[in-house]
Structures are given as C-alpha cells and as structure tokens.
Amino acid sequence: MRILSGIQPTGEIHLGNYLGALKQWISLQNENECIFFVADLHSLTVPYNPKTLQKSIIEKVISYIAAGLDPEKVTIFVQSHIKEHTELAWLLNTICPLSELERMTQYKDKAKKFKSNINAGLLDYPVLMASDILLYKSEGVPVGRDQTQHVELARTLARKFNQKFGKTFVEPKDILPKQGAKIMSLTDPKKKMSKTDSSQSYISLFEDPESIKKKIMSATTDSGKGIKFDPIKKPGISNLLTIYSLLSDKPIKEVEKAFKGEGYAALKKSLADLVIEFLEPFRKKQKEMAQREVYIKEILTRGKDKAQRIAEITLQEVKEKMGLI
Ligand code: ADP
Ligand code: TRP
C-alpha cells in the first residue's frame, strides 16, 4: 500500500502526535511504500514566527527519525519544496463545495481560537491536505482522530473528480490506532492534547525527566477517587490510564487492577516513571541527530527528488483531464 502523512512544523511533537500518528507511521514503514512530509504550508494559516520556521522544519525531520522512522526505508520531504501541492490544491478548489469547508470542525475551532486571523487559507486548509494526499495517489493515511474529517473530504474530492473527469485518483482511507487516536490535554482532559496550547498541557517527545514528572504530577484529575476507566465521568484519570496502557503495552483493565485501592498520586508517580523511561531513547537519538545537519539535508534532497517525480506525473495527468493541456 502507498501510505502518506504529515505533521505541521510549528510547536513541539508531543505524546498525542506520537500515539495518534507517528507510532503508526513507524509500524507501517516495513511493509508499505511510505511517504512522510513536514506540512509547512499548512502551518502558515495560524500565527507563526517566520524567523524560526526553518529551524522548526528541520527539528521535525529530526523528530521523525528520533521517534523511529528509517530514512533508508521511507521518503521524507518538506511540503513547500514540491510546488505541485499548491497547484493541485487550486485545481481541487474548483470542485470543492464551500459548504464542505465551512462545516469542518477544525476550521470552526481555529476560527474561534484565532479570531483576529481568520484567513482564507484557514478555510482552504482541508483542500491543500486533500491535494497532499491525492497527488501521490495514497491509499492509507495514518492520522489521529482530529484529522479523519479531512481525509474524508480527500476521499469525496477524489470520487467527484473521477466522476467528472474520468478515473484519476485513488480514494484514500484513514488509518487510526485502535487506542490513542485522541490523547487528551493534561490540563484540560476534555480537550485534545495540542501543540498550540500551553506547554503545561502536553509532554514533548524530547522533554527532560524533571519536567515530565512535574507535568504528570500536576495533571488535572477528577473529583472523587478510584482508578477507573470512564472517559465521561473521569476524563482525567481515563486519559492517564490510556497513556499508561499504550506505553506499557498492557490492557487498560490490567492497569486498573494493578492500581486497585490506590490513590491518584500513585498512578501519576508510576506513569511519570514510565514516560521518562519510555522517552529516554528518543531523547538520546534526537541529540545525536541534531549534530548531523548535513545528513538531514541530504535526506530531504533525496526525498524531494523522489516525491517530485510522482507529483509531476499526477499533475500532468490531472491538467490533461481538466482540459488544460
Ligand atoms: P497539533 O494538533 O498538536 O498541532 P498536528 O495537527 O500537527 O498536531 O497533528 C499531527 C498528527 O498528530 C495528526 O495525525 C493528528 O491527528 C495527530 N494528533 C494530534 N493531536 C493528537 C492527540 N491529542 N491525540 C492523538 N493524535 C493526535
Ligand atoms: N492537517 C494535518 C494535521 O494538522 C497535517 C497534514 C497536512 C496531513 N497534510 C496532510 C496529514 C496529509 C495527513 C495527510 O495534523
């Protein structure tokens, strides 16, 4: 299967990104043809700092490799290096109903969060994402739950294009983890963990042990006691149990049993130790990769060449079908 996914460069990669998306990328890389990129064009739709963007892009590539992607097996590139993404996005815009974009949950959330910057790119974001996916005729798109609505739009646009202009695109499917598709914020367990929220609310993949401990020990938990998985009544504890279960590879039931009769503090302390230990190799590899800028640039040049070849062929085909050539 051809697999494709991306993460935006601004902000730090956190446990939610890892458990929802990256972990799946890593397990898919052995059996599939995988293409992963840094979605820098998407990150321009919310306020960002142009002076630090380049650095963030390189840091994301380092993060991908530190988390376990093998650059010898997968293609890694930067979205803005391939101009066909924006060109196809324009063409897809012409078949995308405005109403589809206006009902997107992420658009509505971000428009509320960034009231003074509701730009056209924010609304058009899912069309660029559809273009990312369709340009490579991708079959599987490993993402967290918050992105499934966008993948659905990519599927709708593929179908619509094929009907209108003749079979061209593959209809992509999202690939969600069974557990961990939506890791919640540590400070507000009713919201998803997100890079664009305060740093207290997430744990970066490369966070130092002291800080991990502090954040987990002060994570918002629920009133009452008892360590029980109940996302409605106990969203805080349920989120910690999910993370515990995923990092220890034990079913939630077993974790609940192990902490039967214990207080919240015992679970938090044990989870902090687990997270620190789990992330130790990530921190090491990240430090090592941060010294190898030339190698990282080489990976990106190779990735760009490979992606470019596929992108050019698809775009040519699309333009012909649309009557442009
Ligand atoms: P963020 O929302 O933190 O800025 P991105 O939008 O760049 O992160 O998301 C990158 C990938 O991580 C996407 O596949 C997304 O679905 C996934 N993801 C983001 N947040 C979470 C979360 N809290 N739980 C699970 N997956 C997530
Ligand atoms: N919108 C995705 C996110 O914020 C990132 C992304 C951009 C993406 N293009 C994509 C993910 C194509 C999968 C496929 O998480």
Side-chain angles (χ1 to χ4, degrees):
M1 249 211 313
R2 183 174 282 165
I3 301 289
L4 172 135
S5 194
I7 291 184
Q8 301 184 64
T10 38
E12 296 175 277
I13 295 208
H14 52 71
L15 262 186
N17 298 139
Y18 177 74
L19 295 172
L22 258 177
K23 195 175 162 203
Q24 302 196 83
W25 299 9
I26 291 151
S27 60
L28 286 161
Q29 69 180 337
N30 295 321
E31 311 278 327
N32 300 281
E33 183 196 349
C34 291
I35 305 177
F36 299 116
F37 63 97
V38 180
D40 56 346
L41 295 171
H42 278 102
S43 66
L44 310 183
T45 57
V46 294
Y48 74 100
N49 183 354
K51 293 206 173 79
T52 54
L53 185 61
Q54 274 311 311
K55 192 164 165 265
S56 305
I57 293 170
I58 296 295
E59 277 169 6
K60 290 310 152 299
V61 179
I62 291 176
S63 306
Y64 290 178
I65 298 169
L69 276 191
D70 179 351
E72 302 306 318
K73 284 192 188 138
V74 306
T75 300
I76 304 178
F77 71 95
V78 178
Q79 184 188 32
S80 67
H81 291 177
I82 311 283
K83 62 179 176 14
E84 282 80 0
H85 288 243
T86 42
E87 198 171 347
L88 180 60
W90 175 259
L91 301 175
L92 293 176
N93 265 330
T94 63
I95 60 160
C96 181
L98 192 53
S99 57
E100 290 274 357
L101 300 179
E102 282 165 340
R103 70 183 183 83
M104 289 287 162
T105 312
Q106 182 181 284
Y107 168 68
K108 288 193 273 192
D109 287 351
K110 287 195 176 168
K112 229 188 263 163
K113 195 159 163 183
F114 302 105
K115 273 200 185 75
S116 58
N117 185 17
I118 308 179
N119 58 81
L122 196 61
L123 180 71
D124 203 32
Y125 180 115
V127 179
L128 179 59
M129 182 159 157
S131 158
D132 300 336
I133 298 170
L134 302 184
L135 193 53
Y136 299 93
K137 305 201 173 178
S138 322
E139 297 161 81
V141 186
V143 284
R145 177 141 319 124
D146 62 310
Q147 296 300 318
T148 55
Q149 202 182 20
H150 294 161
V151 180
E152 170 83 45
L153 178 73
R155 194 159 54 239
T156 306
L157 294 182
R159 197 174 312 131
K160 196 160 174 191
F161 188 98
N162 290 346
Q163 274 163 4
K164 219 171 149 127
F165 300 108
K167 175 94 179 94
T168 308
F169 293 122
V170 171
E171 290 184 28
K173 283 202 185 73
D174 53 31
I175 303 179
L176 287 183
K178 280 197 193 77
Q179 205 191 344
K182 191 174 183 185
I183 299 295
M184 309 311 273
S185 149
L186 294 179
T187 48
D188 179 358
K190 294 217 164 86
K191 270 173 48 186
K192 85 166 189 107
M193 185 178 278
S194 170
K195 297 194 217 101
T196 44
D197 286 336
S198 108
S199 68
Q200 283 311 307
S201 66
Y202 63 79
I203 291 174
S204 143
L205 271 198
F206 311 107
E207 189 130 4
D208 66 82
E210 257 326 291
S211 169
I212 295 177
K213 198 169 213 168
K214 249 193 225 144
K215 287 186 187 175
I216 294 188
M217 291 314 287
S218 54
T220 303
T221 34
D222 323 289
S223 55
K225 11 178 229 227
I227 295 178
K228 209 162 169 22
F229 186 77
D230 182 342
I232 307 286
K233 285 199 198 124
K234 285 176 170 284
I237 283 298
S238 302
N239 190 37
L240 300 185
L241 279 171
T242 302
I243 300 174
Y244 199 112
S245 156
L246 287 166
L247 299 191
S248 64
D249 238 343
K250 288 186 187 141
I252 289 193
K253 280 266 164 266
E254 206 176 298
V255 184
E256 272 179 346
K257 227 194 238 160
F259 287 95
K260 200 163 176 225
E262 301 265 17
Y264 292 167
L267 173 69
K268 285 180 167 178
K269 186 163 179 321
S270 185
L271 177 63
D273 292 340
L274 180 62
V275 174
I276 292 168
E277 195 190 320
F278 185 86
L279 294 183
E280 174 66 33
F282 293 67
R283 278 193 297 277
K284 252 200 202 135
K285 187 91 199 254
Q286 186 221 23
K287 285 211 183 89
E288 186 196 318
M289 293 316 296
Q291 310 293 322
R292 304 185 59 190
E293 199 160 322
V294 176
Y295 176 56
I296 300 292
K297 293 245 164 85
E298 250 172 51
I299 292 171
L300 290 179
T301 309
R302 239 193 297 146
K304 179 186 169 194
D305 291 345
K306 204 153 168 217
Q308 181 83 58
R309 281 197 292 275
I310 307 174
E312 268 171 21
I313 295 172
T314 310
L315 195 70
Q316 176 81 6
E317 186 187 352
V318 170
K319 285 169 91 173
E320 273 170 25
K321 294 248 169 77
M322 292 182 89
L324 287 167
I325 293 173

